[in-house]
């Protein structure tokens, strides 16, 4: 297993639409393990493959608390089958947008179909934090970020800040 570098806003890779996983093989399982290790290292509670630069429709989630045993979950080719009328609000963050948090309103409950680690088709009903997390990560697979769900004014401010940070990270060029 290895920790992979995270793709950070405003990298255009984050706006790519990921393609479905065609076959769940050892390579896919290794990527899932790397994603989990990267997520635990960050630390975060969810990670989509595109956030480590791989445009495949898969994501990992672990909502266990610090003092609880790890509970990794892998969702391959996840799709929202249905979502509730009732909405819920959570303060969201994203490993690709470090240290920025904002409240986002989404359906409170969703049913998601997906393929598991063994290549088996499954369905899961989720509510609360898991429902939010699944929707946030599935958005990533379509190039959508949680800041797309907040006001344009706030979003523009965040994007501007991260553009500036990215520019500052570039090595200074010698002149003359
Ligand atoms: Ni995210």
């Amino acid at each position: 297993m290895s920790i992979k570098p995270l793709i950070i806003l405003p990298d255009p890779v984050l706006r790519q639409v990921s393609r479905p996983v065609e076959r769940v093989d050892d390579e896919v399982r290794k990527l899932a393990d790397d994603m989990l290790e990267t997520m635990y290292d960050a630390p975060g509670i969810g990670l989509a493959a595109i956030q480590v630069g791989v445009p495949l429709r898969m994501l990992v989630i672990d909502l266990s608390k610090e003092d609880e045993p790890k509970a990794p979950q892998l969702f391959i080719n996840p799709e929202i089958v249905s979502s509730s009328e009732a909405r819920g609000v959570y303060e969201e963050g994203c490993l690709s947008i470090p240290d920025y948090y904002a409240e986002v309103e989404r359906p409170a409950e969703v049913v998601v179909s997906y393929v598991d680690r063994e290549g088996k088709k499954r369905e899961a009903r989720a509510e609360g934090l898991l429902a939010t997390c699944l929707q946030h990560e599935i958005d990533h697979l379509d190039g959508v970020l949680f800041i797309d769900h907040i006001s344009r004014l706030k979003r523009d401010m965040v994007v501007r800040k991260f553009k500036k940070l990215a520019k500052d990270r570039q090595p200074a060029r010698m002149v003359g």
Side-chain angles (χ1 to χ4, degrees):
M1 292 210 286
S2 56
I3 294 166
K4 304 220 179 244
L6 286 164
I7 308 285
I8 305 291
L9 190 77
D11 195 319
V13 166
L14 292 171
R15 293 306 190 176
Q16 272 184 39
V17 176
S18 296
R19 59 173 191 277
V21 174
E22 279 174 25
R23 204 164 62 93
V24 182
D25 53 17
D26 286 346
E27 208 179 310
V28 166
R29 281 185 282 265
K30 169 154 192 327
L31 173 60
D33 291 341
D34 287 348
M35 286 166 61
L36 279 165
E37 199 179 355
T38 304
M39 181 184 80
Y40 289 132
D41 177 68
I45 59 172
L47 186 77
I50 194 67
Q51 291 180 274
V52 291
V54 182
L56 282 177
R57 301 189 78 84
M58 53 191 279
L59 57 94
V60 292
I61 290 176
D62 189 335
L63 301 181
S64 63
K65 305 240 164 57
E66 234 176 284
D67 53 349
E68 291 171 354
K70 284 195 166 93
Q73 300 187 69
L74 168 64
F75 297 85
I76 297 168
N77 298 339
E79 261 177 69
I80 295 175
V81 179
S82 68
S83 37
S84 65
E85 297 261 323
R87 321 235 332 151
V89 177
Y90 271 95
E91 184 167 72
E92 295 188 24
C94 180
L95 292 180
S96 295
I97 313 173
D99 303 320
Y100 181 75
Y101 304 90
E103 285 192 339
V104 177
E105 191 187 297
R106 301 179 186 269
E109 211 179 307
V110 289
V111 176
V112 173
S113 74
Y114 65 101
V115 170
D116 72 9
R117 206 180 162 86
E118 313 311 324
K120 233 196 234 159
K121 251 206 130 181
R122 291 185 180 278
E123 214 169 81
R125 178 179 292 274
E127 53 177 23
L129 183 57
L130 181 59
T132 284
C133 204
L134 275 167
Q135 292 173 83
H136 174 122
E137 300 308 332
I138 290 172
D139 269 356
H140 272 300
L141 309 182
D142 293 316
V144 175
L145 301 170
F146 84 94
I147 53 170
D148 299 335
H149 297 289
I150 63 178
S151 75
R152 155 151 253 150
L153 185 73
K154 280 194 202 161
R155 179 167 64 251
D156 287 350
M157 263 165 48
V158 183
V159 171
R160 218 176 303 132
K161 185 182 148 203
F162 277 83
K163 276 189 179 155
K164 188 176 180 306
L165 283 172
K167 217 168 131 195
D168 292 347
R169 266 199 304 273
Q170 276 167 11
R173 250 172 256 146
M174 299 288 283
V175 181

